[in-house]
């Protein structure tokens, strides 16, 4: 379908129109970098028209602009029910994305001050890089997909966008420097993990083989044409080469590449378009092929006469008056090659009944083992609509049996031995409106920290742009360090994400398997969150679920079966966050009630760590009254967490209870130790807890009550 559409538009839309769009994009990029006035050169250029401190990236713009121009007629002709998305791996092409959005009119709709008129054009040029939109690609620029500033994941994210979406073509623009990253390198091969997992759309990778990364030649550019062909062929891709100089030939190459592009997951080779246009094409000859083309090749044209003359010649070579009207609109001969603005897709309906549905799941799961319950939850979710589970070859290890009766993996569960790919596939899937889960070992989830942070930044900008909420990013962190060898102990993902301060972050620490089932159900229904469910696969202790509703709604609850009734300050407060801490502290609570019956005890379980945050900093943060109801005002508190104690201290911030709070959690033992020794080392062994509790309560009775 896509190849036929490309061939048809090649016949119907003149190459001259597409070439004019490419020139207009190049000119607008250059003008954004350098001009503060006189955007169409309506009068002779003067140094006063030039920015004194030009900023931005020129080098990647020419090849990106040629691809945007060549794909424009296809985008304009996409029939209803189909989608053609362009995903930028090179976020530096911000000027290109802004210029394209301006020419199509979408920029003016999103930002009225940048409308297609003389005032909007002057503002576009003079205000770059704008603080409110950014100099690189962000969701503030309509019509362009980019998923964060990190190089590497673009191809895998593009693959995620077309999973279970046979109507979608995603064209991924990949810099040749980006091909040096491990994530991109793995993405070429990883499509084999998707064979037979569903009916998918098509990805067309476009490698911008422009020869240079920021500091010098790219590694990919050091390969001969034969070596490059052998490289891509060995990875299962058929390269189509074009230098981008002749727009007609580039359009034919796009049609050829689309003709050889197989839907994702189909065995056999699929195409990759290799665009070999030099980086910074069009720069003054003395700068061509140098690292100077990466950003602003002419560093000070306002102050250096020779650079000013070079800039004036460079700008005028595009003949901008032949491309744009004095009113800042594209000339008529550009219009056939420009896609028209389309309405934004409808957002997902707001989820309802999340607590009730999650409580129902917990009631069914109560008293049953992890290996039975959690796979049931995931299978049930898969029956409700588009859903994917991604795991780095650890489903069986994590006791998640997602196979059919013949032992074959369910088509919606994908394993590949790369945490980065699992995240990127899930990111592409959720960014296109479907729900996904990444299930992995707690110790190795931090590998994806930067990708998660980039996605959270991307989502934050989406919200600022007023775009519709998307499905949440959900991680299930199991195989916890408490039951693993020394090398598999690392709960630091939560620590790092808490430091970001992102208000959409929720860290669920369920006390048992029933609560884990409820937490997953709840997290997968919610929109626009980042939720980590931290739950051990070895959990065997079960607790009453009468407070589950409160735990889900507020992230915290007092457990009445372990709490002395009545008002007043207790003698001791025990608080657990996680399944192993709940097991340890409930054992302590029962012993205290049996051996010290006159001791007034309060037991609190923290289901969502963010409930502990300072009031107003996070959605579930307890207000001062609720905090006092849970944690008192004078009684000593023992809080046990499955992660680092520092997480608790950081969350509490200025309302930290001070010396009356003792936080116990994971401490790195510095060498391999037994599980029992680790609990003892971290203060969570039964004898250690008993000694701590009795010491605290004996001491507290000696403190006079004010």
């Amino acid at each position: 379908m896509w190849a036929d559409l490309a061939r048809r538009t090649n016949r119907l839309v003149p190459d001259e129109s597409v070439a004019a769009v490419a020139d207009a994009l190049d000119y607008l990029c250059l003008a954004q970098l350098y001009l503060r006035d006189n955007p169409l050169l309506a009068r002779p250029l003067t140094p006063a028209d030039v920015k004194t401190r030009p900023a931005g990236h020129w080098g990647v713009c020419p090849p990106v602009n040629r691809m945007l121009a060549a794909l424009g007629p296809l985008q304009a002709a996409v029939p209803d029910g189909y989608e053609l998305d362009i995903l930028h791996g090179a976020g530096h092409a911000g000027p290109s994305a802004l210029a394209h959005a301006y020419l199509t009119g979408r920029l003016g709709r999103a930002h009225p001050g940048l409308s297609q008129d003389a005032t909007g054009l002057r503002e576009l040029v003079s205000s770059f890089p704008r603080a409110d939109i950014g100099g690189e690609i962000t969701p503030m620029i309509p019509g362009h997909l980019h998923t964060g500033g990190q190089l590497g994941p673009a191809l895998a994210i593009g693959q995620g966008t077309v999973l279970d979406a046979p109507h979608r073509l995603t064209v991924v623009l990949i810099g040749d420097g980006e091909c040096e990253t491990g994530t991109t390198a793995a993405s070429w091969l990883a499509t084999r993990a998707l064979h037979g997992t569903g009916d998918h759309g098509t990805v067309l990778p476009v490698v911008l083989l422009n020869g240079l990364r920021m500091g010098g030649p790219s590694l990919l550019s050091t390969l001969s044409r034969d070596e490059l062909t052998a490289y891509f062929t060995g990875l299962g891709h058929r390269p189509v080469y074009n230098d981008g100089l002749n727009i007609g030939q580039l359009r034919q190459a796009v049609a050829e590449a689309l003709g050889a592009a197989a839907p994702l997951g189909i065995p056999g080779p699929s195409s990759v378009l290799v665009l070999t246009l030099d980086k910074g094409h069009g720069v003054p000859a003395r700068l061509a092929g140098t690292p100077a083309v990466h950003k602003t090749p002419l560093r000070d044209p306002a102050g250096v006469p020779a650079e000013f003359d070079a800039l004036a010649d460079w700008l005028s070579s595009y003949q901008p008056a032949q491309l744009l009207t004095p009113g800042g609109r594209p000339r008529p001969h550009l219009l056939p090659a420009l896609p028209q603005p389309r309405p934004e897709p409808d957002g997902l309906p707001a989820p309802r009944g999340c607590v009730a549905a999650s409580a129902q799941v917990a009631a069914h799961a109560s008293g049953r083992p992890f290996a039975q319950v959690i796979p049931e939850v995931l299978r049930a979710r898969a029956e409700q609509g588009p859903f994917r589970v991604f795991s780095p070859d650890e489903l069986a290890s994590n006791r998640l049996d997602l196979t059919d009766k013949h032992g074959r993996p369910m088509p919606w569960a994908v394993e590949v031995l790369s945490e980065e790919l699992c995240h990127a596939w899930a990111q592409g899937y959720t960014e296109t409106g479907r729900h996904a889960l990444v299930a992995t070992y707690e110790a190795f989830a931090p590998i994806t920290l930067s990708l998660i942070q980039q996605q959270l930044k991307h989502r934050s900008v989406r919200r600022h742009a007023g775009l519709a909420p998307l499905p949440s990013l959900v991680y299930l962190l199991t195989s916890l360090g408490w039951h693993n060898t020394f090398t598999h102990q690392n709960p630091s993902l939560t620590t790092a994400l808490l430091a970001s301060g992102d208000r959409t972050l929720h860290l669920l620490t369920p006390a048992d398997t029933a609560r884990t089932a409820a937490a997953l159900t709840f997290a997968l229904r919610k929109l626009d969150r980042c939720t980590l469910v931290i739950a051990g696969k070895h959990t065997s202790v079960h607790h009453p679920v009468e407070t589950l509703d409160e735990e889900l709604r507020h992230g915290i609850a007092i457990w009445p079966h372990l709490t002395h009734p009545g008002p007043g300050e207790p003698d001791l407060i025990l608080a657990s966050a996680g399944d192993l801490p709940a097991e340890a502290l409930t054992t302590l609570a029962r012993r205290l009630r049996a051996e010290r019956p006159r001791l007034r005890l309060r037991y609190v379980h923290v289901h969502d760590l963010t409930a502990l945050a300072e009031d107003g900093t996070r959605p579930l943060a307890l207000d001062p009254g609720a905090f006092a109801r849970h944690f008192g005002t004078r009684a000593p508190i023992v809080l046990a967490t499955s992660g680092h104690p520092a997480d608790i201290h950081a969350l509490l911030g200025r309302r930290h209870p001070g010396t009356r709070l003792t936080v116990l959690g994971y401490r790195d033992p510095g060498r391999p130790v037994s599980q029992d020794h680790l609990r003892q080392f971290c203060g969570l062994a039964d004898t250690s807890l008993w000694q701590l509790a009795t010491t605290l309560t004996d001491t507290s009775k000696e403190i006079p009550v004010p």
Side-chain angles (χ1 to χ4, degrees):
M1 178 269 186
W2 297 108
D4 291 341
L5 186 66
R7 287 189 287 266
R8 185 164 67 252
T9 56
N10 283 358
R11 293 193 303 269
L12 296 177
V13 179
D15 290 342
E16 292 78 8
S17 293
V18 180
V21 169
D23 285 345
L25 291 170
D26 278 357
Y27 177 78
L28 288 175
C29 288
L30 196 59
Q32 289 176 84
L33 296 181
Y34 285 106
L35 296 185
R36 61 181 181 183
D37 201 0
N38 197 12
L40 289 178
L41 307 184
R43 52 179 171 73
L45 193 70
T46 69
D49 296 326
V50 179
K51 293 173 179 173
T52 56
R53 297 181 65 184
H57 295 80
W58 165 255
V60 73
C61 290
V64 168
N65 291 342
R66 276 150 185 76
M67 285 307 306
L68 293 176
L71 293 168
L74 275 75
Q75 288 182 297
V78 171
D80 290 342
Y82 288 86
E83 292 181 27
L84 193 167
D85 296 325
I86 300 173
L87 194 152
H88 294 259
H92 288 161
S96 295
L98 283 164
H100 191 256
Y102 177 84
L103 290 179
T104 63
R106 297 191 68 172
L107 188 63
R109 293 185 179 212
H111 306 281
L114 299 174
S115 57
Q116 276 187 354
D117 53 40
T119 302
L121 176 61
R122 185 180 183 280
E123 180 67 13
L124 170 71
V125 168
S126 65
S127 65
F128 181 88
R130 294 175 63 101
D132 58 342
I133 296 178
E136 301 189 4
I137 301 175
T138 73
M140 300 296 290
I141 305 175
H144 291 264
L145 297 181
H146 186 250
T147 49
Q150 182 168 333
L151 293 179
L155 179 54
I157 291 172
Q159 293 164 349
T161 66
V162 304
L163 284 173
D164 307 319
H167 64 289
R168 182 175 294 125
L169 166 66
T170 297
V171 179
V172 186
L173 306 183
I174 310 167
D176 51 358
E178 190 167 6
C179 290
E180 298 176 16
T181 66
T183 310
T184 300
S187 300
W188 301 112
L189 184 65
T191 55
R192 296 172 182 269
L194 303 171
H195 291 172
T197 67
D199 188 12
H200 309 311
T202 303
V203 173
L204 176 60
V206 179
V207 174
L208 309 177
L209 185 57
N210 54 44
L212 293 171
R213 39 178 156 79
M214 186 182 301
S218 65
L219 296 182
L220 210 62
S221 68
T222 65
L223 301 181
S224 68
R225 179 62 60 85
D226 288 344
E227 290 173 325
L228 196 61
T229 299
Y231 172 73
F232 283 119
T233 302
L235 290 170
H237 296 268
R238 176 179 174 268
V240 176
Y241 297 97
N242 188 269
D243 61 14
L245 296 174
N246 182 294
I247 285 293
Q249 293 176 3
L250 174 59
R251 298 177 73 196
Q252 292 173 12
V254 170
E256 179 185 349
L258 288 173
L264 196 67
I266 300 296
S270 188
S271 56
V272 52
L273 177 59
V274 183
L275 183 59
T276 60
L277 188 71
D278 289 342
K279 188 168 189 174
H281 175 76
V283 299
R286 65 183 178 83
L287 296 171
T290 70
V293 304
H294 181 73
K295 290 189 175 180
T296 49
L298 301 171
R299 304 305 299 272
D300 185 19
V304 179
E307 289 195 358
F308 174 80
D309 292 341
L311 177 63
D313 291 343
W314 190 4
L315 287 164
S316 63
S317 70
Y318 290 102
Q319 299 182 341
Q322 303 300 313
L323 303 171
L324 299 168
T325 70
R329 300 183 67 83
R331 294 282 184 181
H333 66 289
L334 277 69
L335 298 179
L338 289 172
Q340 298 304 306
R342 293 191 173 201
E344 291 291 336
D346 294 333
L348 297 170
R352 297 183 181 277
C354 298
V355 172
S358 303
Q360 184 177 7
V361 167
H364 180 66
S366 185
R368 299 169 59 212
F370 183 100
Q372 287 183 9
V373 168
I374 305 307
E376 282 183 7
V377 170
L378 300 181
R379 290 170 186 269
R381 180 59 190 82
E383 293 174 357
Q384 297 171 11
F387 174 65
R388 286 267 166 180
V389 174
F390 302 99
S391 180
D393 195 31
E394 290 161 358
L395 288 176
S397 176
N398 283 324
R399 300 190 180 181
L400 299 174
D401 181 5
L402 302 180
T403 58
D404 62 18
K405 62 182 180 180
H406 302 293
R408 296 179 300 231
M410 301 300 291
W412 43 268
V414 179
E415 293 186 273
V416 62
L417 199 51
S418 168
E419 284 81 3
E420 295 97 326
L421 288 183
C422 289
H423 176 91
W425 284 342
Q427 181 168 345
Y429 203 75
T430 55
E431 291 292 320
T432 45
R434 285 85 53 78
H435 293 264
L437 171 74
V438 178
T440 185
Y441 273 42
E442 178 192 47
F444 305 122
I447 292 172
T448 60
L449 171 62
S450 180
L451 292 173
I452 296 173
Q453 291 174 323
Q454 289 290 342
Q455 187 175 1
L456 293 180
K457 287 178 177 289
H458 175 79
R459 292 244 175 143
S460 177
V461 178
R462 278 185 56 91
R463 289 190 295 276
H464 186 71
L467 300 178
L470 292 171
S472 296
L473 166 64
V474 183
Y475 267 67
L476 172 60
L477 303 185
T478 184
S479 293
L480 305 184
W482 298 102
H483 298 99
N484 262 318
T485 184
F486 175 63
T487 57
H488 289 39
Q489 297 168 8
N490 183 8
S492 64
L493 180 62
T494 56
T495 305
L497 289 179
L498 281 170
S500 73
D502 191 286
R503 290 176 60 89
T504 69
L505 177 66
H506 291 268
L507 303 176
L508 305 189
T509 52
D512 55 24
T513 296
R515 285 172 168 80
T516 300
L520 277 175
T521 303
F522 191 80
L524 290 170
R525 291 172 67 98
K526 287 292 187 179
L527 299 180
D528 214 21
R529 292 184 173 194
C530 173
T531 302
L532 273 57
V533 180
I534 305 159
K537 63 189 177 185
H538 297 287
T539 305
S540 58
V541 176
H542 307 280
H543 309 278
V545 294
E546 59 189 293
T547 59
L548 179 61
D549 184 287
E550 187 177 356
E551 292 172 39
L552 292 169
R553 292 183 189 277
H554 304 296
I556 193 168
I558 296 172
W559 283 2
H561 67 287
L562 295 175
T563 298
H564 283 83
E569 188 83 0
D571 298 317
L572 178 65
I573 299 169
L574 301 179
S576 56
D579 44 25
L580 182 138
E583 175 187 346
L585 289 190
T586 55
T587 300
L588 173 64
R590 291 190 178 96
R591 184 179 175 186
L592 286 170
R593 289 169 67 92
E595 299 186 23
R596 298 208 171 184
R598 299 184 63 182
L599 184 74
R600 293 181 56 81
L601 186 67
R602 180 182 299 164
Y603 193 101
V604 177
H605 181 70
V606 183
H607 182 77
D608 186 336
L609 283 183
T610 65
L612 300 178
E614 288 188 66
D615 185 26
T617 61
R618 296 180 186 272
L620 291 185
L622 299 173
D623 62 44
F627 189 85
R629 286 195 300 274
H630 287 84
F631 294 106
T633 58
R634 300 187 303 274
I637 306 165
V638 175
L639 193 157
T641 176
S642 57
H644 289 128
D647 298 348
I648 306 300
H649 295 298
L651 278 166
L652 290 168
R654 287 172 295 183
R655 71 172 176 194
H656 195 290
T659 56
R660 68 187 186 94
L661 172 65
T662 302
V663 182
L664 305 172
Y666 176 78
R667 292 170 55 211
D668 194 311
R671 59 184 177 87
V673 296
S674 68
Q675 294 174 18
D676 290 341
H677 190 152
L678 180 62
R679 288 183 63 162
Q680 182 177 355
F681 178 76
C682 297
L684 288 172
D686 291 345
T687 53
S688 303
L689 287 171
W690 177 258
Q691 182 178 1
L692 173 64
T694 53
T695 300
L696 287 173
T697 51
D698 290 343
T699 302
S700 66
K701 290 179 180 178
E702 299 172 2
I703 301 174
V705 177

